[in-house]
């Protein structure tokens, strides 16, 4: 008998239209929170509604609008926080709370497996999470754009490599769950993202850098 599907809960929270996610295994009732921020009580209430027990916190990148709820959440639940090694200098947590990861790391959520994808560009330690056809992209990939690359720590060339070599080769039916509500739909299949998103259509590094650093770019963090 096949396992029941994952529970995916998308919460729009905060003044920057952030998406926070709960990923739940309905068999074990274990859950991971992706980028807890803004409203810890709302996250906990959503977990309670589905009878989920939060055991993991997954950080796509260190920016404050994606992490400002981590410490508050850890005061309420016992969970391990997974941070990419490139962003660990900016995430101030105790070593007992933190698991530092790199490319190709995997984590079990009940009987499910969550794969960690190294996608630097927006920050040196940006990462995405892939499980059972669901891709949680933080600020690496939106439905109609990619994340900003004009911060001092950002790299347009790394962003282009992350998009073209890590994310775009995934199956077209992969469901993309972005880190902000910047588009007319809250999620989309990767094949649709490829057709509508100019940032993922550019192959030349110089052209990509001109495009993503131009004045028309979205003002997100």
């Amino acid at each position: 008998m096949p396992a029941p599907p994952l529970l995916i809960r998308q919460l729009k929270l905060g003044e920057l239209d952030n998406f926070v996610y709960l990923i739940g295994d309905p068999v074990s009732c274990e859950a991971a929170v992706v980028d807890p921020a803004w409203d810890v009580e709302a996250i906990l209430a959503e977990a309670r509604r589905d009878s989920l027990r939060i055991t993991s916190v997954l950080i796509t990148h260190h920016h404050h609008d994606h992490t400002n709820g981590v410490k508050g959440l850890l005061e309420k639940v016992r969970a391990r926080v997974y941070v990419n090694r490139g962003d660990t200098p900016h995430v101030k947590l105790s070593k007992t709370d933190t698991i530092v990861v790199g490319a190709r790391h995997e984590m079990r959520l009940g009987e499910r497996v969550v794969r960690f994808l190294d996608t630097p560009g927006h920050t040196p330690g940006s990462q995405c999470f892939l499980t059972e056809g669901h891709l949680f992209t933080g600020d690496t990939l939106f439905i109609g754009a990619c994340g900003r690359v004009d911060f001092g720590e950002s790299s347009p060339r790394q962003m282009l490599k992350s998009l073209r070599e890590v994310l775009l080769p995934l199956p077209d039916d992969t469901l993309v769950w972005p880190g902000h509500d910047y588009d007319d739909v809250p999620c989309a299949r990767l094949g649709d993202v490829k057709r509508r998103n100019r940032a993922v259509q550019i192959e030349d590094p110089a052209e990509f850098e001109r495009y993503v650093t131009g004045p028309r770019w979205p003002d997100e963090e």
Side-chain angles (χ1 to χ4, degrees):
M1 184 175 181
L6 279 173
L7 294 173
I8 307 291
R9 299 293 182 255
Q10 183 185 58
L11 289 75
K12 182 178 173 180
L13 300 173
E15 59 194 53
L16 297 176
D17 292 335
N18 284 76
F19 281 137
V20 176
Y21 295 96
L22 274 167
I23 310 171
D25 173 25
V27 177
S28 67
C29 294
E30 292 183 25
V33 182
V34 179
D35 288 354
W38 302 107
D39 191 340
V40 170
E41 290 304 320
I43 298 169
L44 292 171
E46 191 70 24
R48 286 194 296 269
R49 273 191 284 272
D50 286 314
S51 300
L52 296 174
R53 176 171 53 90
I54 295 171
T55 57
S56 306
V57 173
L58 310 182
I59 303 298
T60 64
H61 66 291
H62 71 82
H63 286 167
H64 180 72
D65 61 310
H66 292 260
T67 60
N68 61 50
V70 173
K71 290 183 178 179
L73 184 63
L74 293 180
E75 292 173 357
K76 303 287 188 179
V77 301
R78 296 186 64 181
R80 306 300 292 274
V81 182
Y82 293 78
V83 182
N84 187 278
R85 61 192 171 203
D87 273 16
T88 50
H90 304 281
V91 180
K92 307 302 182 183
L93 298 170
S94 73
K95 291 183 179 180
T96 57
D97 293 330
T98 308
I99 296 178
V100 178
V101 300
R104 296 182 296 277
H105 184 83
E106 292 185 351
M107 180 201 80
R108 298 201 73 84
L109 186 67
E111 295 301 312
R112 319 301 177 108
V113 175
V114 180
R115 291 176 51 204
F116 293 61
L117 307 180
D118 220 356
T119 54
H122 185 62
T123 68
S126 287
Q127 60 184 347
C128 300
F129 310 109
L130 178 66
T131 180
E132 299 187 1
H134 298 275
L135 178 66
F136 301 87
T137 56
D139 285 5
T140 296
L141 177 64
F142 303 123
I143 306 304
C146 69
R148 284 176 59 176
V149 289
D150 58 344
F151 299 112
E153 63 179 355
S154 302
S155 169
R157 288 181 180 257
Q158 281 192 324
M159 176 66 86
L160 179 61
K161 184 175 181 180
S162 293
L163 293 173
R164 299 208 64 82
E165 296 184 12
V166 181
L167 299 187
L168 295 187
L170 296 172
D172 279 357
D173 62 354
T174 302
L175 198 58
V176 175
W177 299 92
H180 289 271
D181 184 18
Y182 287 155
D183 300 281
D184 57 348
V185 293
C187 64
R189 302 209 175 272
L190 182 59
D192 295 329
V193 173
K194 291 177 184 179
R195 286 188 285 274
R196 65 186 293 176
N197 187 333
R198 174 60 178 151
V200 305
Q201 298 166 359
I202 301 172
E203 298 183 24
D204 178 68
E207 182 185 353
F208 180 81
E209 184 165 358
R210 286 193 298 270
Y211 180 75
V212 298
T213 57
R216 57 159 297 285
W217 208 242
D219 185 25
E220 87 283 342
E221 291 189 357

